[in-house]
Amino acid sequence: MKTIKYFVIGAMLTIVGAPAMAQVDSKAAVNQVKEILKSKAADADKQIANIAKPFKKDPATLVAIGREFLRADKVAKAEEYATLALAKNKKFGDAYILLGDVAIHNDNGGKAAEQFQQAMYMEPTNPEGYRRYANLMAAASPASSVDALEQLRKNVPDYPVDLLAAEIYDRAGNIPQAIEYYAKAPLNKMKDSQLASYATDLFLSGKFDKSLEVAQFGVQKSPRNAAFNRLSLFNLTEKKEFEKAVSFGEKLFNASDSAKISTFDHKYMAIAYTGAKNFEKAVAQYKEIVNLADVTAEDKADALKGIADTYSANDEYTKAIPAYKEYLAAKKDATATDYAGLGTICMNYANGLTGAEQEVAVAEADQVYADLAAKFEDAAEFAAFQRARVAGIIDPDLKKGAAKPHYDKLIEVITKDGRIEGTSKTRLIQALTYNMIYALQIKNDVPTSKTYAEQILQYDPENEQAKLVSEL
């Protein structure tokens, strides 16, 4: 079954009910009509009238001629030939269908619906009337469309109603209903376009296993079909089967017919390459997005972040940091979380260094969080906490007290806001604990250490470290 959208005028009709020789003559006559209309001859109507004379008792040929007039935008003549056909057989459904298409051409949906319903009533075994009515009503009333198709099922039991119903719900944007109807039809009864739509609906619904199953059925049927290779790439990536995903991605890019590569294709290919530890090719895919002539600002920013994340995944921090800064510059309305991401990369870089290089990296990470606090008032607590963690990288034994100024700030922010619960409470206890240990072990200041211990016990009465210090 081929999808026929209601707004497409002039679909070819099956000519039935005439002897074999008449069908051949009819086809030749209709082809003559087509050529005459194409030539735009001044006497085209007269020539066509002469061609139609031998078929004045053949409604199928009259409708076919009328359809050629409709294609040529001669609406009145199309209507005339449909009327001639009905004069010979008032139950000829295709004539009502042509009148319905004329009404659509005239932007009269109500009239079109009436004509399609008339076709259903007059010729209940002609599927086309049901199809046209269902497609016409799909956007406004999908339920009415499917009701018509269920009537078709009764009158023509062997007709693939479920697939047409699925397509109607697809166009209406009702993906769950579309999936329900697709699931009723055997995969081997679906055309490639239907398999692709079914697999896409499943993918969008997060049903990656079933979507992959349908896409793979399509691959077996049509190995060079871009949609099936694309959906296999997408689903396998979501399932984290990255090596397999890469294989289908490469088929999409290099062994698919008429594949129009999209931003999403590059993105999923990049994710698959990253998962397969092929970082160089992953970065190349993100760069393809950045360099697209029609790339949106959002897609470009996302791709730049992808580049930074890929470099980070491969511990290439000297490349990741500038890439992430480029992302922040490109992203509109970057959030505190976006800026915090740069701090994470800088911290990870610092953790892998030693000596003077580490000190430089720590200073850069610290500045990122300082800027974060200055830029986003709500991020003050998080920034102070992260600056304390960064300081701990070069002062793990607390001897310099490098983290203390930041823990002091953290205590001030949390106690001032009064949000002493959840993560804030955990951070507060950590800050007080640091100060307690620093006062006791580094400064040998027992009274101050006990003060911090007592504060800890207010929030965590069973804290063993604080209990021990409070008893000194």
Side-chain angles (χ1 to χ4, degrees):
M1 181 186 68
K2 182 180 179 182
T3 303
I4 304 179
K5 296 186 178 179
Y6 75 88
F7 49 80
V8 178
I9 306 300
M12 292 299 293
L13 298 173
T14 302
I15 300 172
V16 296
M21 184 57 70
Q23 288 186 20
V24 173
D25 292 342
S26 173
K27 183 177 180 179
V30 173
N31 284 335
Q32 280 184 280
V33 170
K34 185 185 299 183
E35 293 303 317
I36 291 169
L37 290 170
K38 188 183 297 183
S39 71
K40 297 183 179 181
D43 63 342
D45 291 353
K46 184 177 179 180
Q47 290 186 58
I48 293 170
N50 289 331
I51 293 170
K53 279 182 182 178
F55 303 97
K56 62 184 179 180
K57 294 184 179 181
D58 180 359
T61 302
L62 294 173
V63 167
I65 291 172
R67 206 161 269 296
E68 292 304 325
F69 274 115
L70 186 60
R71 287 195 180 96
D73 208 25
K74 293 194 170 189
V75 182
K77 296 299 290 186
E79 187 171 5
E80 177 186 325
Y81 275 83
T83 303
L84 288 172
L86 287 175
K88 300 306 175 187
N89 181 358
K90 69 177 182 179
K91 293 187 176 182
F92 191 61
D94 286 347
Y96 293 106
I97 292 165
L98 176 56
L99 289 173
D101 288 344
V102 166
I104 289 175
H105 188 92
N106 291 331
D107 200 24
N108 191 337
K111 183 68 174 178
E114 290 176 8
Q115 296 294 351
F116 295 147
Q117 286 177 311
Q118 192 73 351
M120 293 158 56
Y121 175 74
M122 288 296 187
E123 193 176 357
T125 57
N126 183 345
E128 196 63 23
Y130 301 90
R131 285 168 56 106
R132 293 302 182 89
Y133 178 78
N135 280 309
L136 178 65
M137 299 299 292
S141 178
S144 296
S145 294
V146 175
D147 285 345
L149 296 179
E150 291 301 336
Q151 188 63 39
L152 172 59
R153 195 196 300 273
K154 292 178 182 178
N155 293 323
V156 189
D158 294 336
Y159 198 82
V161 167
D162 292 320
L163 289 175
L164 185 53
E167 291 174 335
I168 285 170
Y169 277 119
D170 248 338
R171 283 193 293 276
N174 191 331
I175 289 178
Q177 283 288 83
I179 290 174
E180 180 181 332
Y181 274 94
Y182 277 126
K184 294 178 181 180
L187 295 181
N188 60 8
K189 297 295 184 182
M190 297 186 192
K191 292 188 175 182
D192 284 358
S193 60
Q194 293 162 340
L195 286 167
S197 293
Y198 184 24
T200 299
D201 288 345
L202 290 165
F203 173 78
L204 293 174
S205 300
K207 299 178 181 180
F208 304 125
D209 289 331
K210 185 63 178 179
S211 179
L212 180 61
E213 177 189 329
V214 176
Q216 289 289 280
F217 182 90
V219 166
Q220 295 302 314
K221 184 169 176 261
S222 303
R224 295 186 62 86
N225 184 293
F228 300 140
N229 286 322
R230 173 178 290 112
L231 286 161
S232 295
L233 163 65
F234 288 6
N235 282 296
L236 286 163
T237 300
E238 293 290 350
K239 286 165 59 63
K240 302 190 185 307
E241 297 181 37
F242 298 117
E243 296 287 352
K244 291 181 181 178
V246 165
S247 70
F248 281 100
E250 291 178 346
K251 288 179 182 178
L252 168 63
F253 280 75
N254 305 311
S256 292
D257 296 325
S258 304
K260 295 181 179 179
I261 303 303
S262 70
T263 299
F264 274 107
D265 298 333
H266 288 298
K267 180 179 179 180
Y268 268 94
M269 196 62 179
I271 295 170
Y273 274 133
T274 300
K277 307 301 182 185
N278 194 331
F279 301 108
E280 184 177 350
K281 287 189 175 182
V283 169
Q285 288 297 316
Y286 284 124
K287 287 183 176 179
E288 288 284 347
I289 298 174
V290 172
N291 294 327
L292 288 174
D294 58 347
V295 65
T296 66
E298 183 178 1
D299 285 340
K300 182 176 181 179
D302 287 345
L304 289 168
K305 184 177 185 299
I307 292 172
D309 290 343
T310 302
Y311 282 136
S312 293
N314 197 34
D315 297 335
E316 296 182 84
Y317 297 113
T318 55
K319 293 180 180 179
I321 291 171
Y324 200 93
K325 288 179 179 178
E326 193 175 353
Y327 155 66
L328 290 176
K331 185 175 173 66
K332 294 180 179 178
D333 302 322
T335 65
T337 301
D338 294 323
Y339 281 93
L342 177 60
T344 299
I345 296 174
C346 291
M347 279 184 67
N348 290 338
Y349 179 43
N351 273 317
L353 299 173
T354 58
E357 286 185 328
Q358 187 180 64
E359 290 183 7
V360 171
V362 163
E364 183 172 10
D366 179 74
Q367 187 60 52
V368 169
Y369 290 117
D371 292 342
L372 176 65
K375 190 174 184 66
F376 299 96
E377 185 178 349
D378 290 345
E381 176 188 324
F382 173 78
F385 178 70
Q386 291 297 98
R387 293 185 76 181
R389 290 183 62 203
V390 169
I393 294 174
I394 54 174
D395 185 28
D397 53 10
L398 283 64
K399 287 182 179 179
K400 298 177 182 178
K404 189 175 185 305
H406 306 303
Y407 278 130
D408 287 343
K409 179 65 175 177
L410 180 61
I411 293 168
E412 175 191 333
V413 171
I414 294 176
T415 55
K416 179 181 178 181
D417 290 348
R419 294 179 287 110
I420 307 175
E421 58 185 13
T423 301
S424 294
K425 181 178 177 180
T426 301
R427 288 172 177 165
L428 176 60
I429 292 172
Q430 184 170 332
L432 292 169
T433 300
Y434 178 96
N435 284 355
M436 177 184 72
I437 295 171
Y438 178 74
L440 181 64
Q441 295 184 357
I442 306 303
K443 293 296 186 179
N444 197 27
D445 185 347
V446 175
T448 299
S449 182
K450 291 180 67 173
T451 299
Y452 284 120
E454 290 167 1
Q455 292 179 50
I456 293 169
L457 292 171
Q458 290 179 26
Y459 307 113
D460 183 12
E462 301 304 318
N463 189 293
E464 293 299 329
Q465 281 184 305
K467 283 182 179 180
L468 289 173
V469 173
S470 67
E471 292 172 0
L472 293 176

